[in-house]
Amino acid sequence: MFDKILIANRGEIACRIIDSCRRLGVGTVAVFSDADRAARHVAMADEAVHLGGPAPADSYLRGDAIIQAARDCGAQAIHPGYGFLSENPDFVDAVEAAGLVFIGPSAKAIRAMGLKDAAKALMEEAGVPVVPGYHGSNQDPAHLAQQADDIGYPVLIKAVAGGGGKGMRRVDDPRDFADALASAQSEAKNAFGNPDVLIEKYVLQPRHIEVQVFGDGHRAVHLFERDCSLQRRHQKVIEEAPAPGMTEDMRKTMGAAAVRAAEAIGYKGAGTIEFIVDGSDGLRSDGFWFMEMNTRLQVEHPVTEAITGIDLVEWQLRVAAGEALPARQEDLTITGHAFEARLYAEDVPAGFLPATGRLAHLNFPDGARIETGVRQGDTISPWYDPMIAKIVTYGATRAIALRALESALVDTEVAGSVTNVDFLIALTRHDGFRKGEVDTGLIGRDLDDLIAAAEPDPRARALAAIGLAGLADADVKGGATMWQPLRRTIAWEGGQAMLEVLGPGAARVDLGDSIHEVRWQGDRWWVDDALRRNRIVSHDAGISVFGGRTVHLTRHDPLARDAASAGGDALTLSPMPGLVKAVHVTAGQEVKAGDRLAVLEAMKMEHSLTAARDGTVAEVLAQAGDQVEAGAPLIRLEEEEA
């Protein structure tokens, strides 16, 4: 076993690797950027080395600096985590040339699976079923359009490099193909440096089921499947293991195919074979096809660990250190069921826009496995993925594990940045998902209902008003202090309420559209004679009510000025910090409502900004290449005539 390793990553995965290293007695070296100087993974590691500026290109993608740091600290190996350099074969070559061990597959294996088109051809040779499609090198738009016609719509345009849903577009109509292709190629070139795409038949009721494999360079085993079908825009939201509805025959067939895929390239370490599955008529052993292989540890690996009892990071370290596979296939079994929900800083009502902010309050429930790279007081940076935590639950059955997930999400407390927690809670309560009727289109079909189900409860808002008025303090709610005055207006950013004291520990709250009676009794809050499980928390960002649909109220600042209200629908503002990728209009140009004005790149994704109304462009206030802050004006339209 190694004495010391360097972790070439950040955030929750770096913290996760450190946890296993501590248990094994392996020393750890963290690396960090300017933005991560005080990050959790830096504090947890035994040593830490500064790499450079906040942009990944100046820090976590500097392979030479990372290798030098490992050598200077006396580390014997480098663990890449996932993302950044984890699937970069040139980095693997450089690590090994420096006399260090790369904790992962060989450069040859990564190259074999790094391009989806070449990987599919290799899988066909190995006898692994592959989705019908075009995986050729001819990238002429007319040729690709013809291939799409031959395959038959709907089709999926997919970048041959990378993953995470980037460079991927579904096209249902041939008339939309050209625009979708250009958009996918642009996003792929920006994310991966390679604009090439492949075209595949789009399975109409697809499920995304992947198999965890592990090899020692000669033979491989599989650690069963994970269902990752609950996705939005090809980004996984909630994962589970095992897959609902999986039959033993299909599990055996799919597992064997995954092992063949791993052994065909002499795979070493942890990897994942991703399959697209036809879920239109139940799961069948002839209804799955190879999509791609991720030659690294996956974000969702904890659910596999939960049902198998295996520490995959420990296995990675042991095999990289020269040990044979720690188990035979017949030694591996499934026990129980597990879920993982990805908690993000993102604005769901605004279209799931990534968000930033300081975590003024952060508290996770007991009883769930929490994988996080942040602490209370940390800042969600615009430079990296906005994940706050992965919340993992386990139970003897799927129903028990899902109830545990719902409860854990309800008891998760985050303030200082908007999050998707209420959206996740709504998903756990979705009838179809509860029944295991999942496919990759579920969220898209029911998105409006899911977002509506996550809208704040007015009763929780009444409790928030109580907290903002200072009436949730222990002495007040206990009746020891007289509430004064008896009737007053409570104002917050974006709203207000009229509060009337009814007696010790009791008040009536008029929100304008509803009136609620609130009282503190038996060490619990009651609203309209109904017992609530809410907690009212005061913090430097305002007041939050947790324990259900979360409500945040920000104390009113009479001096604050809303730039959006000043500009109205004439001014297009940057919804988040980011890089202006492109500007599509010029001064004097006529635009229609919905026309694309600019493209903003933030949190590793491209976001199109569109015109709020018809009009004429008066000013273009930003240009491609500008780094802008949230709220920065980008495009101004001429004022409408009265």
Side-chain angles (χ1 to χ4, degrees):
M1 180 54 69
F2 304 112
D3 296 319
K4 182 190 294 187
I5 70 166
L6 180 142
I7 302 166
N9 218 297
R10 65 175 301 280
E12 53 87 17
I13 185 56
C15 297
R16 162 71 187 90
I17 294 165
I18 292 171
D19 283 338
S20 285
C21 286
R22 281 180 173 174
R23 188 172 56 78
L24 297 171
V26 176
T28 54
V29 180
V31 292
F32 62 93
S33 69
D34 288 345
D36 279 341
R37 191 174 294 275
R40 182 173 184 257
H41 76 279
V42 176
M44 287 179 63
D46 299 311
E47 304 172 51
V49 177
H50 177 242
L51 290 177
D58 298 329
S59 50
Y60 299 106
L61 293 176
R62 292 184 59 201
D64 55 345
I66 289 169
I67 292 170
Q68 189 60 51
R71 297 181 69 176
D72 292 345
C73 293
Q76 300 152 299
I78 294 178
H79 196 306
Y82 48 71
F84 296 129
L85 295 169
S86 63
E87 294 179 281
N88 186 319
D90 294 336
F91 179 64
V92 179
D93 286 336
V95 169
E96 294 175 348
L100 303 170
V101 175
F102 181 78
I103 302 175
S106 67
K108 180 180 178 182
I110 294 175
R111 287 190 176 100
M113 290 298 191
L115 296 178
K116 297 182 181 70
D117 50 354
K120 289 177 186 295
L122 182 61
M123 291 300 97
E124 284 185 297
E125 292 178 11
V128 179
V130 173
V131 177
Y134 174 73
H135 311 131
S137 59
N138 188 339
Q139 294 292 303
D140 178 71
H143 180 75
L144 294 175
Q146 183 59 55
Q147 294 298 319
D149 288 339
D150 293 344
I151 293 166
Y153 286 86
V155 298
L156 189 67
I157 302 171
K158 186 187 299 184
V160 301
K166 301 176 187 66
M168 188 181 297
R169 300 290 187 275
R170 172 182 169 176
V171 188
D172 296 298
D173 191 313
R175 292 171 294 183
D176 300 328
F177 183 83
D179 287 344
L181 175 64
S183 177
Q185 288 176 325
S186 172
E187 192 169 84
K189 184 176 182 179
N190 175 63
F192 316 120
N194 185 345
D196 289 357
V197 299
L198 54 83
I199 313 294
E200 288 183 343
K201 177 67 177 175
Y202 187 85
V203 180
L204 286 174
Q205 195 172 335
R207 288 179 62 176
H208 181 147
I209 300 178
E210 59 190 32
V211 176
Q212 176 73 59
V213 293
F214 206 101
D216 62 4
H218 303 287
R219 65 186 185 92
V221 296
H222 70 84
L223 290 88
F224 312 105
E225 81 280 353
R226 299 185 287 258
D227 196 308
C228 306
S229 300
L230 208 59
Q231 302 180 7
R232 184 184 173 275
R233 293 183 179 173
H234 308 292
Q235 295 279 2
K236 299 168 186 175
V237 179
I238 295 179
E239 300 102 341
E240 63 181 299
M246 178 61 71
T247 66
E248 284 303 320
D249 178 57
M250 183 171 178
R251 178 174 290 129
K252 182 178 179 180
T253 304
M254 183 178 281
V259 168
R260 286 199 305 276
E263 292 182 342
I265 58 172
Y267 195 77
K268 183 177 182 179
T272 301
I273 310 295
E274 299 195 353
F275 294 102
I276 189 75
V277 178
D278 182 357
S280 60
D281 189 27
L283 298 183
R284 311 179 312 277
S285 58
D286 62 349
F288 68 91
W289 302 275
F290 173 85
M291 281 200 306
E292 61 185 338
M293 181 178 190
N294 290 302
T295 51
R296 53 171 167 78
L297 198 65
Q298 288 278 88
V299 176
E300 58 271 21
H301 75 274
V303 294
T304 293
E305 293 183 326
I307 66 167
T308 61
I310 302 297
D311 182 333
L312 288 170
V313 174
E314 176 188 332
W315 274 31
Q316 286 185 299
L317 294 170
R318 291 172 61 183
V319 169
E323 292 186 30
L325 276 174
R328 300 169 300 173
Q329 190 65 60
E330 55 266 30
D331 299 327
L332 300 169
T333 58
I334 294 175
T335 303
H337 205 99
F339 285 92
E340 174 183 293
R342 302 189 186 193
L343 178 66
Y344 280 101
E346 62 182 9
D347 191 338
V348 173
F352 295 82
L353 286 177
T356 58
R358 178 179 171 275
L359 299 174
H361 177 78
L362 182 65
N363 186 58
F364 295 109
D366 296 330
R369 172 176 170 175
I370 306 298
E371 306 258 323
T372 184
V374 295
R375 301 152 299 184
Q376 183 167 302
D378 287 352
T379 297
I380 302 298
S381 165
W383 295 102
Y384 313 114
D385 186 277
M387 180 184 286
I388 296 174
K390 300 181 308 192
I391 299 172
V392 184
T393 58
Y394 172 83
T397 67
R398 184 178 189 273
I400 293 172
L402 186 55
R403 290 286 186 185
L405 180 62
E406 177 189 1
S407 178
L409 290 167
V410 166
D411 291 335
T412 293
E413 302 176 356
V414 185
S417 175
V418 293
T419 77
N420 66 337
V421 67
D422 290 334
F423 179 71
L424 295 173
I425 292 170
L427 280 170
T428 66
R429 296 170 176 170
H430 184 279
D431 287 341
F433 184 53
R434 287 201 171 204
K435 296 174 183 176
E437 298 169 353
V438 294
D439 63 75
T440 58
L442 183 149
I443 289 178
R445 287 192 302 272
D446 297 338
L447 184 60
D448 290 344
D449 290 341
L450 289 166
I451 292 176
E455 289 177 353
D457 181 350
R459 293 172 179 80
R461 199 150 52 100
L463 285 171
I466 290 288
L468 200 61
L471 305 182
D473 298 334
D475 58 342
V476 175
K477 65 190 181 186
T481 300
M482 201 61 147
W483 292 3
Q484 294 291 341
L486 295 180
R487 184 177 175 83
R488 54 181 158 145
T489 299
I490 308 299
W492 58 86
E493 292 298 329
Q496 65 178 34
M498 180 61 69
L499 187 144
E500 179 183 359
V501 175
L502 301 177
R508 179 180 292 112
V509 180
D510 185 346
L511 296 171
D513 51 2
S514 60
I515 299 174
H516 307 279
E517 292 193 2
V518 179
R519 72 178 189 275
W520 177 257
Q521 179 178 324
D523 292 331
R524 297 291 294 272
W525 288 106
W526 293 72
V527 181
D528 300 336
D529 291 325
L531 179 65
R532 306 284 298 192
R533 60 175 297 181
N534 301 102
R535 272 198 346 118
I536 303 175
V537 177
S538 176
H539 45 75
D540 57 15
I543 291 287
S544 297
V545 174
F546 301 109
R549 284 175 281 176
T550 307
V551 171
H552 302 291
L553 297 184
T554 302
R555 292 179 177 85
H556 178 62
D557 180 359
L559 300 180
R561 181 173 180 268
D562 187 346
S565 65
D569 58 7
L571 197 59
T572 299
L573 306 177
S574 175
M576 72 197 89
L579 176 73
V580 178
K581 181 68 176 174
V583 176
H584 296 287
V585 294
T586 58
Q589 182 176 334
E590 297 289 332
V591 296
K592 297 290 187 182
D595 283 355
R596 187 163 64 164
L597 304 178
V599 176
L600 187 73
E601 177 191 334
M603 307 248 182
K604 303 192 294 184
M605 296 290 284
E606 289 188 0
H607 307 272
S608 291
L609 306 180
T610 59
R613 60 169 171 82
D614 296 354
T616 303
V617 176
E619 285 184 285
V620 176
L621 302 167
Q623 59 184 352
D626 287 353
Q627 187 74 39
V628 297
E629 296 299 322
L634 304 180
I635 310 290
R636 185 174 68 82
L637 301 183
E638 291 182 358
E639 296 297 333
E640 293 181 300
E641 295 182 4

